[in-house]
Amino acid sequence: MTVPLSFAGKVVLVTGAGGGLGREYALAFAERGASVVVNDLGGDIKGGGKSSSAADKVVEVIKAKGGKAVANYDSVEDGEKLIQTALDAFGRIDIVVNNAGILRDRSFARTSDLDWDLIHRVHLRGSFMVTRAAWNHMKNQQFGRIIMTSSAAGIYGNFGQANYSAAKLGLLGLANTLAIEGRKYNIHCNTIAPTAGSRLTETVMPPDLVESLKAEYVSPLVLWLCHEQCQENGGLFEVGAGWIGKLRWERTLGSIVRHKNQHVTPEEVRDKWDQICDFTNATKPASIQESLHTLVEVLSKVEAGERLGGNPTRGLASTTSAINPSEAVGKMIGEMTFSYTHMHCILYALGVGMSTKEPDHLKFLYEGHEDFSCLPTFGVIPAQVSMMEGGLANVPGLNIDPTRILHGEQYLELYKPLPTSGTLTSKSSIADILDKGSGAVILLDVHTYNNQELVCYSQFSVFVVGAGGFGGKRSSDQAVVTVPPPNRVPDIVVTDETTRDQAALYRLSGDWNPLHIDPAFAALGGFKSPILHGLCSFGFAARHVLKQYADNDVSRFKSIKVRFVKPVLPGQSIQTKMWKEGNRIHFECKVKETGAVVLAGAYIDLHPASDASTVSAETEVLQSDLVFAEIGRRIKDLGGELVKKVNAIFGWEITKGGKTAAQWTIDLKTGNGALHKGPYSGKADVTITVSDEDFMDVVAGKTNPQKAFFAGKLKVRGNIMLSQKLETILKDYAKL
Ligand code: NAI
C-alpha cells in the first residue's frame, strides 16, 4: 500500500465549485485534509443570475464530514476578493483550481459581442484575475500549484463554440507562460481538458453519457497535479471516464523554401507542400528556444547553401538528429594526440582564474618554481579534442546536429598527476546513449595515455537537444552519476571573481566555440552576451577544493564529477560551497550576483593525506591482487584453451572499505586471452563487484559465487548467466 497523498496544511481555492467538476474537486481536497475556499457565483449556465446557495451547500457537506471550508460568492472576475477570502479564513493560499465556467454556444455567424465577451470574461480573464491575485503569495512562500481548465473544444475546435474554443485555448497559452515564470519559485501550472457529465454537458450529451462520465473520475488528476510531490509543470492533459492522457506539440521536419539572395515565392511553397506537411520523423519541440533554434539553423543553411554548393532547399531532415544506439554504443571514435608544454599548463591555470596575487598559485604559473605542477582538471583538455573535432557526428548510428549539443555533465579521474609537458594520446568510445525524451544523452568515455600508461579517464555527458524519443533507456550503469551534497550548511564557502576576459583567456586552451567570445553568435543562442565555458567554472571550483582540502597538492586529486546547470557570465563571481565527508568533498557553485546554481551534484574525491606522495589505488595492498597475478600467469600458459571454454570478457571491481580499490578485466574471448588492470576501455560481457575480502572467501571456496550473490556480497552487471562460468575460472585457484 502506498502512502496516501495528504493536503493537510494546504489552502485550496476552487472556483465554480458549487456544482459539477468544481464541487467534486472541493470535496476531494477537503477529504484529504485541505482547507477549501468554495467559490461559486451561483448563476445560470449562460452567466446570468447569482445565488449563494450553490457554494453554501458544498461547504455544508464538507463541514458535515469534519472538513474545513468557507464559501465565497464573488465572480472570478473579482479575483482579489476570492484570494482575500482564503487569507482571511486560513491565512494563506497554496493551490488555485480555475474551474468556473459558462457556455454561450452559437454558430459563429450568430455570435454576438456579448456572447464573445462574457465567455472571455469568465474563463480567460477570470482565471487571470484569480491567479494574479494568488501569484505573489505563492512566490513568497516558494510553493504554488495552479490548474487551468481548458477543453477539447479549444484543442480541436467544435461547431458552435467559437467563443468558448478561443477562450479555452487562451487558457493553455496563459498556463504555458506561467509554467515558465513560476518554475523557479516552485509554482507549477498545468492544464486539463476534462470531459464529465454536468449541467454544462447535459445540453450536448445524451443523458446516459452524462450519467456515466462521472466528475469523480477527473478529480484524482487534479489532486495529483496539485500535490507538492508532483513535479509536472506546463503539462496539458485530457481526462475523463477514468482515463488520462498527456498532449504535446509535434512538428514536421518542414522544408526550406528560400534561396540565398532570392525572394520566397508562393510557387516554391506550393511545390514543397507535401514535404512541409509530411509528419515522417516529426520533431516534438518543447520550448520556444527549440522552436527558434530551427530558424537560426535555417538562416545559416540558406547562407551556406551557395558557398557550399549544396541544395539550399532541402528539408531539415538531413541534419535533424537520428540516433541508433545499437549501432553507435561501443564504437571507438579514434585516437587523438595532444602535445603540450609548460606554456599550456600555465595558460590553462590563468584561464581558470589563477593569479600571481595569490602566492600559493605560483606553483601553477611559473615553470621555474621548484614544485611546478599542472592543474589536475587540465586532464579534460587533451580529452575534449575528440569532441571538438566533430568526432561524435561521424560515428555510425549518431546522426546528430553538432549545433544542438550541450555539455551536460563531466567526470574526470586521474591515475597519476599530469606531466607538465608531453604528448598524450586519447582514445574515445561511446559508452552508452540515453533517451531523455526532450533529448539524447551520449556518454563519451575517453581514456588518455602517456605512451602505454593510462593517465586519466574522462566521461563527457553530451546532451543533444531534440534527439530523444528514439525508444532508448533512460539510465545506464556506465554513467558516473552526480551526488547531492549533505543536508547541512556548507563547511566552507569560497567566493572568487571571474574577469571580463575570463572566457577570452580560457578559450586559448582549446575550446574555440564562438559562443564564448562573439556577441552576435551568443545572441543567436539566446544569450545576452558570450558565456563562460562550463569547463572553466569547473576548473575554478576544482582549484577551490584543492586549495581548501589538499593544500594545492595535485597528487591528492583523485576524481571530480559535476553537472552543468547554468552558464556564468565573464565578470561574475563564482561562489563554491564545500562539504567534507571523509575523502569526498561535495561542492556546489552559484553565481554570487544572481544566486543561480551553475554547478550541481558535484564532488571531488581526494587521496588521503598520508598517501599524498603516491596514488593510493596503486599502493593499496589487496589480497585479490595475488589471485589476479596468478590468473594472469595461467592465461599466459593456457589462454587459448580457456578462451575456447569460456568465451567471455569479465570485468572486476574490487572494493575495499566500500570504495573501488582495483579494476581488472579478464579477457577470455579474444586471441589467447589477456588480463588488464585499471579501467577497461572496451565492453565487458559481465562485470562483478565484490569486496577484496569476499573475493578471497569465494576463491578459497569458503563460499560459492551464487551464495555470495544472493547474500548481496557480489553484484553482477551485464550477462548474469556468464557468472556461472566463474567457478570454472576461480576454482583452480582455491588452492591459493
Ligand atoms: P458546471 O456548470 O457544473 O460548473 C461551473 C460552475 O462555475 C457553476 O457552478 C457556475 O455557477 C460557476 N460559475 C460560472 N461563472 C462563474 C463566475 N463568474 N464566478 C464564479 N463561478 C462561476 O460545469 P462543469 O462541467 O463542472 O465545468 C467546469 C469547468 O470545466 C468549466 O470551466 C468548463 O468549461 C470545463 N469543461 C467541462 C467539460 C465537461 O465535460 N463537463 C468539458 C470541457 C471543459
Side-chain angles (χ1 to χ4, degrees):
M1 183 62 193
T2 52
V3 183
L5 296 171
S6 162
F7 287 88
K10 294 282 185 277
V11 177
V12 184
L13 163 67
V14 183
T15 70
L21 287 163
R23 175 178 187 276
E24 200 59 41
Y25 305 153
L27 296 178
F29 276 115
E31 200 159 284
R32 286 169 182 265
S35 305
V36 183
V37 178
V38 178
N39 155 264
D40 208 296
L41 185 65
D44 61 31
I45 69 164
K46 293 188 168 182
K50 189 173 172 19
S51 128
S52 59
S53 65
D56 285 341
K57 277 189 199 143
V58 177
V59 171
E60 273 164 36
V61 176
I62 292 175
K63 287 191 167 162
K65 289 185 178 175
K68 295 179 277 283
V70 292
N72 170 285
Y73 320 113
D74 294 304
S75 166
V76 283
E77 290 183 76
D78 295 319
E80 290 285 353
K81 292 187 182 163
L82 276 66
I83 299 302
Q84 198 55 49
T85 302
L87 300 177
D88 292 345
F90 305 118
R92 55 188 290 135
I93 180 70
D94 299 292
I95 295 166
V96 169
V97 182
N98 290 296
N99 166 80
I102 54 168
L103 280 181
R104 292 178 78 92
D105 293 358
R106 295 270 192 286
S107 64
F108 181 58
R110 295 178 52 219
T111 303
S112 68
D113 288 5
L114 188 64
D115 294 332
W116 181 268
D117 291 345
L118 264 184
I119 286 288
H120 275 72
R121 272 167 43 196
V122 174
H123 289 274
L124 192 50
R125 187 175 160 79
S127 299
F128 158 67
M129 295 299 280
V130 172
T131 307
R132 191 181 59 179
W135 191 257
N136 275 337
H137 300 284
M138 292 180 169
K139 214 168 128 176
N140 292 338
Q141 73 202 13
Q142 297 271 315
F143 177 82
R145 294 288 183 268
I146 298 161
I147 298 290
M148 296 296 175
T149 306
S150 183
S151 163
I155 299 170
Y156 307 107
N158 196 23
F159 191 93
Q161 294 197 306
N163 52 355
Y164 181 74
S165 316
K168 283 306 202 189
L169 212 55
L171 284 165
L172 177 64
L174 173 61
N176 286 342
T177 292
L178 295 191
I180 293 169
E181 291 192 16
R183 182 173 295 138
K184 67 172 180 242
Y185 306 111
N186 190 19
I187 304 175
H188 296 172
C189 183
N190 289 287
T191 306
I192 61 164
T195 302
S198 75
R199 66 176 199 170
L200 283 192
T201 42
E202 67 191 6
T203 53
V204 287
M205 280 183 194
D208 291 4
L209 207 55
V210 172
E211 183 53 33
S212 47
L213 291 172
K214 295 189 192 310
E216 68 196 55
Y217 300 153
V218 175
S219 54
L221 169 66
V222 171
L223 264 69
W224 166 239
L225 288 173
C226 292
H227 197 269
E228 58 194 347
Q229 280 175 18
C230 180
Q231 291 309 304
E232 185 70 38
N233 188 20
L236 169 64
F237 302 87
E238 278 187 73
V239 50
W243 165 88
I244 302 165
K246 185 172 179 179
L247 287 87
R248 66 179 173 192
W249 294 101
E250 200 178 39
R251 188 174 66 181
T252 66
L253 292 174
S255 179
I256 298 178
V257 293
R258 185 165 71 93
H259 304 261
K260 192 175 179 185
N261 301 330
Q262 287 180 21
H263 292 296
V264 180
T265 66
E267 289 75 20
E268 181 86 25
V269 177
R270 175 196 61 201
D271 296 343
K272 288 282 175 319
W273 197 243
D274 285 349
Q275 207 180 335
I276 291 169
C277 301
D278 179 2
F279 273 92
T280 313
N281 296 327
T283 60
K284 295 160 187 83
S287 67
I288 197 161
Q289 286 76 13
E290 280 186 53
S291 161
L292 273 177
H293 183 94
T294 306
L295 303 189
V296 172
E297 217 177 24
V298 168
L299 290 177
S300 69
K301 266 176 204 302
V302 172
E303 193 57 33
E306 277 196 356
R307 259 201 329 264
L308 300 173
N311 171 12
T313 61
R314 71 182 194 263
L316 288 170
S318 57
T319 57
T320 304
S321 307
I323 287 185
N324 180 359
S326 55
E327 211 182 332
V329 173
K331 283 275 174 332
M332 300 295 296
I333 297 189
E335 279 188 25
M336 307 276 176
T337 52
F338 177 81
S339 294
Y340 66 105
T341 67
H342 63 271
M343 218 166 73
H344 295 82
C345 302
I346 295 170
L347 193 58
Y348 175 81
L350 290 168
V352 299
M354 293 226 132
S355 157
T356 51
K357 276 188 270 179
E358 305 284 334
D360 63 340
H361 286 184
L362 206 59
K363 68 186 268 193
F364 298 105
L365 296 174
Y366 171 41
E367 72 289 357
H369 191 283
E370 57 175 354
D371 200 12
F372 179 56
S373 304
C374 180
L375 275 170
T377 45
F378 181 76
V380 296
I381 300 292
Q384 76 184 0
V385 179
S386 44
M387 282 215 307
M388 295 298 152
E389 302 199 347
L392 269 186
N394 297 328
V395 175
L398 270 196
N399 181 14
I400 55 171
D401 175 353
T403 60
R404 312 198 82 180
I405 284 181
L406 299 173
H407 193 170
E409 295 182 11
Q410 181 68 46
Y411 177 71
L412 169 71
E413 181 165 353
L414 258 56
Y415 302 106
K416 43 179 49 223
L418 294 167
T420 52
S421 65
T423 297
L424 301 179
T425 308
S426 294
K427 296 181 186 172
S428 328
S429 61
I430 309 291
D432 217 341
I433 302 178
L434 311 180
D435 187 348
K436 296 284 185 186
S438 60
V441 172
I442 301 172
L443 298 178
L444 180 71
D445 276 357
V446 186
H447 291 86
T448 302
Y449 299 84
N450 188 3
N451 296 316
Q452 300 305 313
E453 193 176 25
L454 185 62
V455 184
C456 61
Y457 158 67
S458 321
Q459 185 175 75
F460 294 79
S461 306
V462 179
F463 191 81
V464 190
V465 179
F470 53 87
K473 54 188 178 177
R474 285 189 75 85
S475 59
S476 165
D477 54 12
Q478 301 289 324
V480 184
V481 294
T482 53
V483 181
N487 195 6
R488 61 167 197 265
V489 289
D491 304 331
I492 298 181
V493 182
V494 167
T495 305
D496 205 356
E497 284 166 13
T498 67
T499 71
R500 181 70 176 74
D501 290 319
Q502 206 69 55
L505 189 57
Y506 180 82
R507 64 194 297 274
L508 303 181
S509 284
D511 184 341
W512 304 101
N513 187 340
L515 178 64
H516 306 291
I517 186 90
D518 182 345
F521 195 90
L524 285 183
F527 297 104
K528 277 196 218 114
S529 59
I531 59 172
L532 198 60
H533 305 68
L535 282 175
C536 178
S537 322
F538 164 92
F540 265 77
R543 62 173 183 73
H544 292 160
V545 172
L546 201 66
K547 176 174 174 141
Q548 297 301 323
Y549 290 100
D551 198 21
N552 285 326
D553 179 351
V554 294
S555 70
R556 290 204 44 209
F557 182 96
K558 181 167 182 275
S559 57
I560 176 168
K561 171 77 191 181
V562 309
R563 181 157 58 85
F564 302 106
V565 183
K566 272 201 173 144
V568 176
L569 298 180
Q572 287 180 325
S573 305
I574 298 177
Q575 199 171 55
T576 308
K577 293 182 184 169
M578 295 168 252
W579 295 259
K580 181 168 165 31
E581 293 274 286
N583 288 324
R584 173 160 291 184
I585 315 300
H586 296 267
F587 65 94
E588 180 183 272
C589 292
K590 279 186 175 175
V591 168
K592 190 182 158 214
E593 291 78 2
T594 63
V597 173
V598 290
L599 300 183
Y603 65 84
I604 285 180
D605 282 340
L606 296 171
H607 295 296
S610 53
D611 289 359
S613 52
T614 45
V615 175
S616 80
E618 301 280 332
T619 56
E620 186 91 75
V621 181
L622 298 171
Q623 302 179 69
S624 54
D625 279 0
L626 294 171
V627 178
F628 281 106
E630 178 57 19
I631 292 177
R633 279 194 284 279
R634 291 293 181 97
I635 292 176
K636 272 212 178 98
D637 295 347
L638 302 169
E641 210 174 290
L642 285 170
V643 167
K644 262 192 230 137
K645 235 199 234 166
V646 178
N647 188 33
I649 301 175
F650 293 84
W652 289 90
E653 297 250 356
I654 305 295
T655 63
K656 183 111 193 169
K659 291 218 166 127
T660 302
Q663 286 168 301
W664 292 93
T665 308
I666 304 178
D667 181 350
L668 294 177
K669 199 173 194 174
T670 29
N672 285 328
L675 178 74
H676 167 84
K677 187 170 188 185
Y680 182 57
S681 49
K683 226 180 152 56
D685 296 307
V686 57
T687 302
I688 300 136
T689 307
V690 63
S691 74
D692 194 40
E693 299 78 16
D694 292 332
F695 178 83
M696 292 313 288
D697 283 353
V698 171
V699 170
K702 283 193 201 157
T703 180
N704 72 21
Q706 280 80 8
K707 246 193 184 161
F709 176 75
F710 287 115
K713 291 177 168 178
L714 189 142
K715 295 199 178 70
V716 183
R717 275 185 284 143
N719 184 350
I720 195 160
M721 299 308 286
L722 286 171
S723 52
Q724 290 180 358
K725 297 193 176 179
L726 274 182
E727 239 168 320
T728 343
I729 308 171
L730 296 180
K731 77 169 178 243
D732 289 356
Y733 307 99
K735 297 174 220 76
L736 278 167

